[in-house]
Amino acid sequence: MREKMHWTNKGSALLLAGVLLALPGPLTAPAAATGAAGVTRTAADPAEGPDPLDFAVVVDQSASLAEKDLARETEAAALLSQGEISERSRATIIGFGSSEKAGQSPVREVCPLTVADAAGRERLSACVQQLGRRDAARMGPGTDFPAAVRQAVTRLTEAGGAKTPAVPKVIFLLTDGKLDVADSPEYGTDRDTRQSNGARRLTEELARARAAGVQIWPLGFGSEIDRSALTAMAEGGYRGACSDIPGSVPRMRVVGTSAEIDKALQETFAAARCARIAQGTVGKPPADLTVTIPPIATDGSLTVAKHDPKVRVTYYDPAGRKVPVRGEFDGSTFEVSGQDGPVEALRVKDPLPGRWRVHIEAPEGHRDREVAVRAIWQGRLRSDVTLDPASPRAGEKVTVQVRMQTRRGVVITDPRQLADLTASAEVAGAGFEPFTFRLADDGRAPDRKAGDVRFTGTFTLPAGATGDLELVTRMAAPGITSDRRPVHARRGADVPVLTAGLVVDRATVHPGDTVHGTLDLTNNDSAPHTLRLALQDQAPGAELTVAPTSVTAAAGKSTRIPFTVTVADGTALGELGGQVAVVDTGDGDTVLDTAFLDVLVVAPPTWWDRWWKAVTGGAVALLVLATLVGIRILAGIRRRDLTGTTLELRDDGRSLYALTIRRGQSEGGTFAFTVDEPYGGPPTLRSVRGTAASTAHVLRRTSSGELLLRPRGGRQVPVRAGEPIGLGEHELVVRGGRVSPPRRSRPPRRPDPGTGRGGGTGPGTDPGTGTGTGPGTGPGSGPGTGSPSGAGGSGGSDTYDVNF
């Protein structure tokens, strides 16, 4: 394309392409070595880390590319080199245009094929900066697809030696146009001939790529794309796939707007690499960005598109801990690169799953551009396989069950983490041709339960099987590969001499507890057999012992033997991996049966966990008791309170003075008062406090509500509301209080005779008229002389034994 196009979309695509190109994943190579048993093998055993990949990023640099997009192209290449998580991968970056005059070349190899280890990533980061300096004298403005494909295929297939066939090879071709070699003399003498020859040569280069096992994934941007040509390039290269998942076979993609570029690039590169990308947050420094790594990830890279080298980045794991830029920490290995460039990445082996935090800072003047973080990850899982029976006979149906766990020992239990996963197994051995069968987790027999992340399948051992057997499981999903470890077994005897059945309790235990199981044995032999119980495939951090380790199968009988698996105090919390196996030590340690350990280790209960119910119940009981006591105390205080009670001083039925007890004057239900008789004035009542209360009249109310009056220096007597009671030369009437009749502890004493003042002998019922002794009407109510005032005698009184 010669006309100038708006390259915002293209620049964004290149930037994202750099991240997505870093996705690792096992791709099927066309020429893998085949073992004697017929099982496909790579030239060397796979390493623990992610599978390597040889790849080329081929970028269209025709005339339509604006200068500002060269910078974006450089950042995309930097993202590619920094984000690669396999240190065994190799990468090359090639720009292309056309060759139309002397001194020009259609391709420009800015980065040779370089191993993406720590040193190699720094080298790629430096050499990719050359993309920012375009020299029109050395590259023409056309679009020479044949030259670009040829250069990439040559670099990906050279100098690989014996390793080259085992490593997948991929070309990612980014273009904004269609084939344009009309002005390139090497293709012919006129424009039409050149275009025709260019199309024919492209077909030849694609055939060469297919023969060399090189995939081609074209990505087209804009509205002038030749879709048929891009489809032909995708279908013309090698058609192998990284897995059996639909969509992993090379195909072309075209997007027209910037809103579609992100999604398209992510899907394209993830599909090509059988990997996954977690998109994080975006922000301007200073800020905290986040991105989530799932539990299934075993290798990852947090890629930070800083744009400005002045931006500084700090990484925190999901536990909130700052991780080192290099070295090991809490079971993970870290390596940071690109700190002084526009792109920085933290490569992590065995990352802690969860939400990671990336803190960004920048000095003033360097905070205007948004920074984005992404997590590029792969899950390389370890298979845990059981065969039932473990030593099958020829013609016998065998059930295979597989579950997966990460290198950290995390058993995968969430089926959502294995979405779109395909599983199969291949059986090889002496006496028969290898064959493959399907594994499923769909709940259909022989699978016991759908969604329990235990993949099950069956096969029938061929009648021709004569000896050793080898089973290899294959699991594949976007971002997930299995370790492809072989499981070895032996063909059993036609009539089994020994049969064994292992059952282990499913339990939740604490460190230091034991798990129980039973071993059922049937020995059809005439001699006893010595068997051994063993633990296999234990997860890291699991400290388990089985007892007994040695058992005897008695000759000609069936035996049930209990056993235990002890969880040591130092065992890590979580679900235990591994299995219990019983082997025949007299037959070359032939495995007779295996059983998974379905054991969850949890923290031991604390004192509070054991006793919280009793403590809570006791506290509630005490609270109820205290409440009841408080209620009774408050009720007693209210019953004894004299507030509002009125004391009226009377003389001969005539009211002289009234005093109402106010709040706070009757503490403890007691009110002390005195009768003041001023010279020449009427008597009054006055409340007294302190030491003076000991010589005053005292009115009090008991807790039962009874009113008692203790005259000064006298005995206490009961008081009834509204009824007068003698108080010296006067009467006292109490109103407003609840008064109950007094309780008598003994009969009243007989009154003592008193002496009246009148000197008469008549009865004292008429005030001041009696002349002799007789009953008075005063408070004494005993015999005495009449008083002119009619107050009664003073010689006698009734006494009540009433306790306060």
Side-chain angles (χ1 to χ4, degrees):
M1 293 176 60
R2 302 305 178 104
E3 64 276 12
K4 188 173 182 178
M5 297 175 60
H6 189 271
W7 267 80
T8 300
N9 291 355
K10 181 173 181 179
S12 300
L14 292 174
L15 180 61
L16 286 170
V19 181
L20 297 172
L21 284 174
L23 294 171
L27 299 168
T28 305
T34 302
V39 181
T40 302
R41 295 285 179 268
T42 58
D45 291 337
E48 280 292 310
D51 292 327
L53 179 73
D54 288 350
F55 61 96
V57 182
V58 181
V59 180
D60 183 353
Q61 292 187 288
S62 57
S64 60
L65 184 68
E67 289 295 330
K68 64 180 181 179
D69 295 309
L70 288 176
R72 291 175 178 160
E73 200 171 68
T74 302
E75 290 183 359
L79 281 167
L80 174 146
S81 62
Q82 300 306 309
E84 174 55 49
I85 68 174
S86 173
E87 61 182 12
R88 297 180 292 149
S89 293
R90 298 187 302 171
T92 181
I93 301 175
I94 300 169
F96 75 97
S98 63
S99 176
E100 300 178 359
K101 60 183 179 180
Q104 290 184 338
S105 172
V107 296
R108 184 186 181 195
E109 187 175 319
V110 297
C111 292
L113 196 62
T114 303
V115 177
D117 55 13
R121 289 196 297 163
E122 296 297 339
R123 180 183 178 188
L124 286 167
S125 179
C127 72
V128 77
Q129 303 303 318
Q130 299 176 38
L131 285 175
R133 299 186 297 272
R134 181 167 55 185
D135 188 352
R138 298 180 58 184
M139 180 182 291
T143 308
D144 193 340
F145 288 138
V149 173
R150 181 169 62 252
Q151 183 75 12
V153 171
T154 298
R155 292 294 178 251
L156 291 176
T157 56
E158 71 179 1
K163 291 179 61 179
T164 300
V167 178
K169 304 169 185 64
V170 181
I171 295 174
F172 297 104
L173 177 65
L174 282 70
T175 180
D176 71 332
K178 53 188 176 182
L179 177 68
D180 182 6
V181 292
D183 294 325
S184 298
E186 66 175 285
Y187 287 99
T189 57
D190 59 78
R191 295 176 61 86
D192 292 340
T193 301
R194 292 167 182 166
Q195 285 292 104
S196 177
N197 289 339
R200 183 172 60 254
R201 190 174 299 179
L202 176 58
T203 301
E204 295 171 355
E205 297 298 340
L206 294 175
R208 178 172 171 246
R210 181 170 59 253
V214 179
Q215 295 186 21
I216 301 176
W217 290 75
L219 295 170
F221 306 98
S223 58
E224 300 298 324
I225 298 298
D226 187 342
R227 293 174 176 266
S228 60
L230 296 186
T231 299
M233 282 191 277
E235 296 178 351
Y238 178 60
R239 300 295 287 166
C242 62
S243 74
D244 297 330
I245 301 170
S248 65
V249 177
R251 65 187 187 278
M252 76 91 178
R253 293 289 300 272
V254 174
V255 295
T257 66
S258 58
E260 299 173 284
I261 289 177
D262 291 1
K263 184 174 184 293
L265 282 177
Q266 292 172 26
E267 292 176 351
T268 298
F269 284 102
R273 304 297 301 276
C274 280
R276 294 187 185 179
I277 299 175
Q279 297 289 343
T281 58
V282 178
K284 295 180 181 180
D288 284 320
L289 310 180
T290 60
V291 65
T292 299
I293 296 180
I296 202 170
T298 58
D299 299 275
S301 180
L302 275 66
T303 304
V304 184
K306 303 188 299 184
H307 309 290
D308 190 338
K310 292 292 185 180
V311 176
R312 291 291 175 256
V313 184
T314 309
Y315 304 89
Y316 296 87
D317 69 10
R321 302 169 297 183
K322 179 181 177 180
V323 300
V325 296
R326 282 180 178 80
E328 296 183 356
F329 176 72
D330 192 23
S332 301
T333 304
F334 300 90
E335 179 186 275
V336 170
S337 61
Q339 289 178 299
D340 296 326
V343 175
E344 182 176 327
L346 174 68
R347 180 185 288 173
V348 190
K349 181 179 180 181
D350 297 326
L352 188 67
R355 189 174 69 173
W356 287 67
R357 179 166 62 92
V358 177
H359 182 71
I360 53 174
E361 289 281 355
E364 291 290 344
H366 298 269
R367 301 175 179 176
D368 58 332
R369 299 194 65 179
E370 286 190 332
V371 178
V373 61
R374 300 177 180 86
I376 305 167
W377 63 268
Q378 181 189 59
R380 190 175 184 85
L381 303 181
R382 291 175 173 173
S383 56
D384 194 358
V385 185
T386 62
L387 276 68
D388 185 18
S391 181
R393 301 190 303 269
E396 186 174 18
K397 189 174 183 179
V398 182
T399 300
V400 178
Q401 191 175 70
V402 181
R403 67 178 181 180
M404 310 299 287
Q405 62 187 44
T406 67
R407 288 195 299 260
R408 293 182 71 101
V410 178
V411 178
I412 308 302
T413 58
D414 186 354
R416 294 173 296 182
Q417 297 179 17
L418 299 178
D420 301 325
L421 183 140
T422 60
S424 62
E426 184 180 66
V427 181
F432 64 94
E433 291 294 324
F435 61 90
T436 301
F437 63 97
R438 177 176 174 268
L439 300 171
D441 181 24
D442 55 8
R444 300 177 183 177
D447 188 54
R448 290 184 297 179
K449 182 180 178 182
D452 63 355
V453 199
R454 293 168 183 250
F455 292 82
T456 310
T458 60
F459 70 90
T460 300
L461 186 64
T466 58
D468 293 341
L469 305 175
E470 183 179 270
L471 182 143
V472 178
T473 59
R474 301 180 184 277
M475 292 195 173
I480 301 171
T481 59
S482 59
D483 54 6
R484 300 186 294 278
R485 292 183 304 159
V487 176
H488 297 282
R490 293 187 61 188
R491 176 190 180 277
D494 291 338
V495 177
V497 173
L498 285 172
T499 57
L502 279 171
V503 176
V504 183
D505 292 346
R506 295 184 177 184
T508 298
V509 300
H510 311 302
D513 289 352
T514 58
V515 180
H516 297 275
T518 56
L519 168 62
D520 291 300
L521 294 172
T522 299
N523 185 1
N524 297 314
D525 200 355
S526 58
H529 283 248
T530 300
L531 309 179
R532 178 169 54 88
L533 287 171
L535 295 169
Q536 299 178 346
D537 291 330
Q538 293 188 52
E543 298 179 16
L544 310 176
T545 55
V546 62
T549 56
S550 180
V551 297
T552 299
K557 62 184 300 185
S558 297
T559 309
R560 170 167 290 184
I561 301 172
F563 65 92
T564 59
V565 177
T566 301
V567 182
D569 290 336
T571 300
L573 303 182
E575 186 171 351
L576 291 179
Q579 54 191 337
V580 180
V582 55
V583 299
D584 188 352
T585 58
D587 189 22
D589 284 347
T590 299
V591 177
L592 301 179
D593 196 21
T594 58
F596 284 133
L597 285 172
D598 284 324
V599 178
L600 179 64
V601 182
V602 299
T606 63
W607 179 91
W608 177 251
D609 294 332
R610 295 177 183 273
W611 299 101
W612 71 269
K613 290 184 179 179
V615 173
T616 303
V620 171
L622 288 176
L623 180 61
V624 171
L625 180 60
T627 302
L628 293 176
V629 171
I631 291 173
R632 295 197 62 178
I633 292 174
L634 291 175
I637 293 174
R638 286 196 298 268
R639 285 195 299 268
R640 297 177 64 183
D641 189 13
L642 291 170
T643 300
T645 301
T646 299
L647 281 65
E648 183 183 4
L649 188 65
R650 301 174 61 178
D651 188 5
D652 195 19
R654 177 171 53 88
S655 177
L656 301 177
Y657 191 84
L659 175 65
T660 300
I661 302 174
R662 299 190 301 275
R663 185 176 299 279
Q665 290 183 322
S666 58
E667 294 181 0
T670 300
F671 178 73
F673 65 97
T674 185
V675 179
D676 292 338
E677 298 191 40
Y679 179 77
T684 60
L685 297 176
R686 175 172 56 87
S687 66
V688 296
R689 292 178 179 271
T691 57
S694 60
T695 60
H697 307 294
V698 177
L699 178 70
R700 69 173 301 183
R701 175 174 285 150
T702 67
S703 59
S704 62
E706 182 181 8
L707 284 174
L708 298 174
L709 175 68
R710 184 178 63 195
R712 180 174 54 239
R715 285 178 169 272
Q716 61 185 8
V717 295
V719 178
R720 291 182 178 275
E723 295 184 5
I725 184 170
L727 188 65
E729 297 179 353
H730 307 287
E731 295 177 339
L732 181 70
V733 177
V734 180
R735 293 188 178 88
R738 293 171 297 169
V739 184
S740 59
R743 293 175 294 152
R744 300 177 182 269
S745 58
R746 60 185 178 181
R749 296 171 56 186
R750 295 178 60 86
D752 294 330
T755 302
R757 292 181 182 180
T761 59
T765 56
D766 292 331
T769 61
T771 59
T773 59
T777 59
S781 71
T785 58
S787 171
S789 62
S794 60
S797 64
D798 284 339
T799 302
Y800 298 89
D801 186 7
V802 180
N803 297 322
F804 280 90

